[in-house]
Amino acid sequence: MKGTIQEIQPYRAEGIVYRADKCLPLVDAAQRKKIKSRMLSRHTYPGERLDDNTLGLNSIGYWDAHEPQDWGLDWHRNEGIEFHFLESGTMPYSQENKEVILKPDYLTITRPWEVHKVGNPYVGMGKFYWVIIDLGIRRPHQDWKWPDWITMTQRDLFKLTTILRQNEKSILKTNKEVRNCFVNIGRAIDLDRSGSNASKIRLHINHLLILLLDLLDTDDMILNESLTESSRSVNFFLKELENSLTENWTIESMSQSAGVGVTRFTYHCKQITNLTPMRYLMMRRLEMAKKMLLEDINLTVTEVAYRCGFTTSQYFSSVFKKHEKCTPNRYRQNNLSLA
């Protein structure tokens, strides 16, 4: 593989810092010659650097595996909408609550907020393409902003955007035209040298979006406006919060991460959890602490408090006793004696 990861500074959107996926297992597999791969990227995605003629295109590339693989891309999110396409072979793929084995000519659509992985745990043998386009959004309710080199008519682009935002269909069986489009994308990538093929890459991506609109704009496509409501963005954030309970959250930082104002965030949080945001955070931290007290008996109460995001052990013990009617140590002793 020509080109490796370059440590480019994280970029900001609406005051929030985002860091691109570095795809380290993919880089390692290419360096070990387990796969043939060619990638053009920006930010911290791996590959040759894209130039300013394709601003908004975060990563485009393919890998070609002709032998069994020993790596996969674990659960992650991207900074834009991602289209995967399998030209040949088979590929384990999971997105949110869907888990499938992709077959040739299947295309996947992954929005920025949707967690996904490739491999179970290893990727399959096959030729696999991807295109990641940054739309300037991170949450379902935010308005999409396509790069200015997307040349679809305003009407068609609005239609495509609406369909992509208001339906949850994410895996499509495509046709020969889509296959040929990705083959052409692969050729354009192979021939690119420092942006020399930017025009062709832009052309093929525009063609892909037109073909995608043709595939999606059918009579049986069901649209659901609730998928673009701000409550959905808050719900996504609350699910993500489970993995970052120890961070120094304030109601302002939580609402900012959810992409909505404090008032709207508080309202939706109460509707979803029946609790105010800060109280919900505290209750989730308490649940985390109760589990940790029982699963790691070598940790002191102070260590548990800090690991669960409480600023002091005294405050943790006070809150714990108020809700559990006993101290953390007594809770541990009582439950371990019953085990």
Side-chain angles (χ1 to χ4, degrees), residues 8 21 25 30 46 65 71 73 76 105-106 112 162 170 204 234 258 298 309 320:
I8 297 176
D21 183 11
W71 62 280
L73 297 176
H76 64 283
D105 295 335
Y106 271 79
T162 301
S170 58
H204 295 320
V234 174
N298 293 319
F320 193 97

Side-chain angles (χ1 to χ4, degrees), residues 90-106:
T90 58
M91 192 69 60
Y93 178 81
S94 301
Q95 180 178 327
E96 300 292 341
N97 60 349
K98 307 181 189 77
E99 186 171 332
V100 299
I101 300 294
L102 298 178
K103 297 179 180 179
D105 295 335
Y106 271 79

Side-chain angles (χ1 to χ4, degrees), residues 253-277:
S253 62
M254 285 193 288
S255 63
Q256 188 180 58
S257 186
V260 298
V262 171
T263 301
R264 184 175 295 183
F265 177 75
T266 301
Y267 171 79
H268 287 314
C269 185
K270 285 183 178 178
Q271 291 290 308
I272 295 168
T273 69
N274 201 35
L275 297 169
T276 64

Side-chain angles (χ1 to χ4, degrees), residues 44-305:
T44 54
Y45 287 104
E48 299 287 343
R49 295 297 92 189
L50 286 163
D51 67 13
D52 289 349
N53 289 305
T54 51
L55 284 176
L57 178 62
N58 279 359
S59 183
I60 185 169
Y62 67 84
W63 75 67
D64 197 356
H66 295 283
E67 61 178 276
Q69 301 297 301
D70 57 2
W71 62 280
L73 297 176
D74 206 355
W75 293 106
H76 64 283
R77 288 184 177 85
N78 296 108
E79 291 64 42
I81 190 165
E82 181 169 18
F83 304 109
H84 291 119
F85 179 78
L86 185 66
E87 181 184 338
S88 59
T90 58
M91 192 69 60
Y93 178 81
S94 301
Q95 180 178 327
E96 300 292 341
N97 60 349
K98 307 181 189 77
E99 186 171 332
V100 299
I101 300 294
L102 298 178
K103 297 179 180 179
D105 295 335
Y106 271 79
L107 179 142
T108 73
I109 303 167
T110 311
R111 290 92 177 164
W113 54 86
E114 292 175 326
V115 64
H116 59 287
K117 69 174 180 176
V118 185
N120 189 26
Y122 304 137
V123 302
M125 290 188 285
K127 191 166 186 179
F128 195 57
Y129 299 82
W130 69 89
V131 177
I132 305 176
I133 303 173
D134 197 332
L135 303 171
I137 56 102
R138 303 295 178 266
R139 298 295 179 184
H141 74 283
Q142 295 172 329
D143 292 333
W144 291 19
K145 301 170 185 175
W146 293 89
D148 57 12
W149 47 266
I150 298 298
T151 59
M152 296 175 71
T153 65
Q154 186 174 0
R155 175 180 148 185
D156 283 348
L157 192 57
F158 176 79
K159 184 187 294 185
L160 176 62
T161 302
T162 301
I163 294 173
L164 290 173
R165 291 185 68 196
Q166 295 185 10
N167 89 92
E168 294 186 294
K169 192 169 186 177
S170 58
I171 300 173
L172 304 173
K173 178 70 166 68
T174 65
N175 52 36
K176 185 177 180 180
E177 284 187 290
V178 173
R179 168 189 278 262
N180 289 339
C181 183
F182 274 100
V183 170
N184 288 331
I185 285 174
R187 289 172 181 160
I189 295 170
D190 284 335
L191 295 173
D192 185 84
R193 297 295 180 270
S194 302
S196 63
N197 243 7
S199 293
K200 287 186 178 180
I201 290 171
R202 285 162 48 159
L203 178 66
H204 295 320
I205 291 175
N206 275 282
H207 187 206
L208 173 62
L209 295 179
I210 292 170
L211 295 174
L212 188 58
L213 178 58
D214 289 341
L215 286 172
L216 293 173
D217 190 17
T218 59
D219 292 336
D220 61 348
M221 179 60 65
I222 299 174
L223 300 183
N224 182 358
E225 290 187 13
S226 68
L227 296 178
T228 62
E229 293 177 352
S230 56
S231 59
R232 190 166 184 244
S233 296
V234 174
N235 197 35
F236 268 106
F237 168 76
L238 293 176
K239 290 179 180 179
E240 294 169 357
L241 186 63
E242 298 296 318
N243 299 317
S244 57
L245 291 171
T246 60
E247 291 190 25
N248 186 26
W249 290 109
T250 64
I251 190 169
E252 289 80 13
S253 62
M254 285 193 288
S255 63
Q256 188 180 58
S257 186
V260 298
V262 171
T263 301
R264 184 175 295 183
F265 177 75
T266 301
Y267 171 79
H268 287 314
C269 185
K270 285 183 178 178
Q271 291 290 308
I272 295 168
T273 69
N274 201 35
L275 297 169
T276 64
M278 297 310 293
R279 184 166 180 79
Y280 177 77
L281 175 64
M282 183 183 69
M283 296 301 292
R284 300 311 304 155
R285 284 173 170 171
L286 279 176
E287 289 301 312
M288 181 182 180
K290 288 161 62 177
K291 184 177 180 181
M292 197 174 292
L293 284 167
L294 302 182
E295 292 184 352
D296 196 336
I297 60 174
N298 293 319
L299 290 177
T300 66
V301 169
T302 298
E303 288 171 328
V304 170

